Amino acid sequence: MNENELQSRLLHIDKIGVRLTRIMWALILGFGLSAILNMAAAAGSVFYDHMPEKVAETLYMKDFHFGTFSIDALKDSIEAHHLAGIGYLMYSLYSALIVMILSFYRKLIITVVRGGQPFTEEAGTMMKKYSYLTLFFIFSSNPIVTILLFMILRLFAVIFDYGAYLQKKANETNRIQEEMIMSFAEITENKSGQTGQHIRRVSEYSKIIAEELGLKDSQVEMIGLASTMHDIGKLIIPAEILDKPARLNDEEFATIKTHTTYGAALLSRVEGDIMQLSKTIALEHHERFDGNGYPLGKQGRAIAPESRIVAVADVYDALTSRRSYKKPWDPKDAYDEIVKNAGKQFDINVIEAFKSGYERIEEARERYADKDTVEDCEL
Ligand SMILES: [Fe+2]
Ligand SMILES: [Fe+2]
């Protein structure tokens, strides 16, 4: 089962959950009403002598029994209307118990389905336990209702168990992807000769920009992770070019450009949403909004939004970092340079997000600063 299938199955369970909570609400109302009416009837039996004869007889003089709980056995020792009172009381308690169980289930389902909490095995186990409570009334005069309820409640438990299983699988896939990504990122960093924290900072800046753009938390996290592999293609670029302490000539620059396509080719072999996004970012992070970038010369919205975000993060970090051929720029100058390029090199909306998140970007830059950027080198 691949990750997409897992997600679509989880979504399907969510949909079933929403429908079930509606049915449960109706059941809760029904059983709640039954609890109240039966309780009223039970209490009424005390006033039996003061009731109009017709009402008293209809309510309390029928042959009343509550299944094999056999209150019939008490028939000789207490008066019939008290017997009926006890019967009503038991019905009322039964309904109240069902209301309790259903409310508990409904709350759990809502937390998971609408609250976006993950399915857990504990929830499934708890549901199973609660469902047994209904069996307490299996000997009532309504065994079919009891069995049906028991089965419905067990069904919930099974759905939750299955949800928990799928969730676990999905988490496992994500964990493996994350581990692979971190190792890839580390290898690239070691090879590329870039300042140690470049990948970390690009990831942080990208997340901040994505947040400012109003993306969902899960998307923000994904961009943060996927961005760490944007330069993975540098693994094939010779170290002499990567570390060259001077401007590159045309041929060398052409070689360096291939890190985008090579990175994408490398990542396209791996399955999973994050890896697919990484591939896109690796391929497109040097594309420009005006179409003058590389490797494909894509333009505007043809470039994935995630790539447009990482492009800004990457350039801001490149400018403010030391490279073998240049000193780090002053952050203020780098900021102006980036903003100046809105609509040319960069997407205008992304630049707006960069501007509004700039304070946090600067905090991240300081937090993940390279150890050696404090003193200027003479290159
Ligand atoms: Fe790059
Ligand atoms: Fe980079």
Side-chain angles (χ1 to χ4, degrees), residues 194 198-199 202 227 230-231 234 259 285-286 310 313-315 317-318 323:
Q194 278 169 349
H198 168 66
I199 283 165
V202 170
S227 71
H230 68 275
D231 276 339
K234 286 193 176 168
H259 82 278
H285 71 280
H286 288 288
V310 175
D314 191 32
V315 171
D317 194 61
R323 288 285 191 269

